[in-house]
Amino acid sequence: MMEMLWTDPQTEPGRGPSKRGVGMQFGPDVTKRFCENNGLDAIIRSHEVRMEGYEEEHDGKCITGTFSVPISAPNLTDKLAVFSAPKYCDSTENKGAYINIGPDYKLEFHKFDAVPHPNIKPMVWFSSIFLDCSAPTDFRRHMHKAA
């Protein structure tokens, strides 16, 4: 099961060895079959930096972003946004992107550049929440307090 989390798209049909050294890669035929078998139009995935913030692959059925987090707001009940981080961990010059998913499941893509941020180490918030055993582990509760 864990290998599925590290599986990446490839341009060739079928499956192949992963460039990460763990798991497999999957081709457009695998994506198409998965979507058909599950009644989906496309999949939105993360775990790979995309220089333009996101990339549509496999005839638009596989959309990859750098780091995806679903975001919704009480006054936007008809929309869901998926967010991709710009300048990932301050180590690349990639753009960020977000996808608004409307009630009709139409995808609206929006790109943006990074902006200056406070002088703190990247991912400090993550390590304080998830790596410190004394820190709260309920991520949703923490994020609601931060908002």
Side-chain angles (χ1 to χ4, degrees), residues 127-137:
S127 61
S128 69
I129 294 170
F130 292 103
L131 299 180
D132 179 0
C133 294
S134 65
T137 57

Side-chain angles (χ1 to χ4, degrees), residues 42-46 61-65 68 82 99 101 107 109:
I43 58 172
I44 300 173
R45 59 178 298 277
S46 62
K61 292 192 174 297
C62 181
I63 302 155
T64 298
S68 299
V82 179
I99 306 168
I101 305 171
L107 304 180
F109 296 89

Side-chain angles (χ1 to χ4, degrees), residues 10-59:
Q10 65 182 21
T11 55
E12 301 83 25
R15 292 180 179 87
S18 172
K19 61 186 174 233
R20 296 178 195 258
V22 63
M24 301 288 290
Q25 293 189 162
F26 59 95
D29 57 324
V30 175
T31 300
K32 181 180 178 189
R33 190 169 54 252
F34 178 83
C35 288
E36 287 172 354
N37 290 344
N38 292 283
L40 302 172
D41 292 328
I43 58 172
I44 300 173
R45 59 178 298 277
S46 62
H47 295 300
E48 285 188 282
V49 172
R50 294 300 195 245
M51 295 311 289
E52 290 300 310
Y54 73 95
E55 183 177 354
E56 293 181 79
E57 301 170 89
H58 298 177
D59 298 319

